[in-house]
Amino acid sequence: MLTLNADLHCHSCVSDGTLEPEALAVRAKANGVELWALTDHDELAGQRRARDTALALQLPYLTGTEISVTFAGQTVHIVGLGFDDHDEALIAGLAATRGGREERAQEIAAGLARVGITDAFRGALKYVGNPNLISRTHFARYLVEVGVCGDTSEVFRRYLTEGKPGYVPHRWARLGDAVGWIVNAGGVAVIAHPGRYKFSANEEYALFSEFKAHGGRGVEVVTGSHGAADVLKYTDTALEFDLLASRGSDFHSPEESRTDLGTLPALPSRLTPVWESLEHRVSKA
Ligand code: AMP
Ligand code: MN
Ligand code: MN
Ligand code: MN
């Protein structure tokens, strides 16, 4: 079970990825993925397309999403896996979480206009597959298109992160609410890419403790943005907090992502994979 090629984190054009859900299923299968989940940000609209294509390809599928949460003044992502995607409270919670994105995008565009980058709202919209889900990634693609930066990471670094002209503070879902929506819909909640947050040791301890107290059960240990040191650190954290371990590329685009679907290293052998607890939630052909 530890060596199962599970990839439980990626994005389609229903959020800020560039491929259709169907194309992602085909790519996952071609890359040897044995258990797959599409985890679009704050959105379930791609779930049926992903699952139907996966099942046609004999690729076992788990429902997925990645919920944006504000915790201790930072954005934290919580991946949900194996929930009932018709659950009404989850659907309503995600709709509320998406709610402020358009206004935020207008403010991002206004911030960029102040440093001479005009028409960025319209420019970003060209890259948006789902009008309810305009994200910083879509602005990043537009700024690369017009030659302001060479790649999307440079755009984030220079324009879209805290203190930069296109950064707009935003209040996302509360940790307890996001975990509750997932758990009450029969799923497992997982802290996504913990190595990316800039918390102090105390804040990080609070995140893991509160996440567990709300019913969270997993942490991504092996993921596209984790180096070897992150994998070691969060293996220890998973054991310390008695959490299940997840594995997911966080693939967004063949042009932008360093880690392709299905190409991550295996979970360290000391860990219990999250998929052992989700067997009853897997859709199979
Ligand atoms: P948003 O939900 O609009 O705040 O956008 C967040 C998304 O931006 C993340 O899910 C990533 O896909 C992307 N992102 C965040 N930071 C970076 C970065 N430093 N480089 C490239 N993409 C990033
Ligand atoms: Mn993203
Ligand atoms: Mn994320
Ligand atoms: Mn992601």
Side-chain angles (χ1 to χ4, degrees), residues 23-211:
L24 282 169
V26 168
R27 191 177 185 98
K29 181 70 182 183
N31 287 359
V33 173
E34 296 169 300
L35 175 64
W36 181 52
L38 171 66
T39 56
D40 278 312
H41 297 285
D42 309 320
E43 176 62 275
L44 303 180
Q47 290 303 304
R48 210 178 103 188
R49 294 166 63 191
R51 178 169 48 219
D52 288 354
T53 313
L55 297 191
L57 295 166
Q58 317 279 324
L59 169 59
Y61 187 77
L62 281 169
T63 51
T65 187
E66 182 178 21
I67 307 182
S68 312
V69 160
T70 301
F71 183 85
Q74 287 191 50
T75 300
V76 167
H77 286 169
I78 301 296
V79 163
L81 297 170
F83 48 79
D84 167 12
D85 59 338
H86 293 104
D87 184 89
E88 286 186 12
L90 172 63
I91 290 169
L94 293 178
T97 306
R98 289 193 295 271
R101 276 187 182 267
E102 177 164 350
E103 201 177 306
R104 169 189 186 237
Q106 297 281 10
E107 291 177 43
I108 291 175
L112 294 172
R114 282 194 285 276
V115 293
I117 302 164
T118 54
D119 226 11
F121 185 78
R122 216 172 45 125
L125 270 188
K126 290 194 291 179
Y127 293 91
V128 170
N130 170 359
N132 295 323
L133 219 117
I134 174 161
S135 121
R136 284 184 292 165
T137 313
H138 302 114
F139 282 93
R141 292 187 183 131
Y142 175 66
L143 267 60
V144 172
E145 177 199 315
V146 295
V148 171
C149 294
D151 61 40
T152 53
S153 338
E154 188 190 340
V155 183
F156 275 89
R157 202 165 56 244
R158 289 177 50 199
Y159 291 98
L160 297 178
T161 42
E162 205 168 340
K164 301 299 158 67
Y167 182 74
V168 174
H170 193 74
R171 186 160 283 284
W172 301 107
R174 286 191 293 212
L175 179 66
D177 290 342
V179 172
W181 300 330
I182 295 164
V183 170
N184 293 330
V188 170
V190 173
I191 296 179
H193 45 62
R196 283 179 56 168
Y197 310 129
K198 310 242 174 323
F199 289 127
S200 67
N202 281 342
E203 287 168 335
E204 187 175 71
Y205 188 89
L207 169 66
F208 278 85
S209 311
E210 290 183 33
F211 172 74

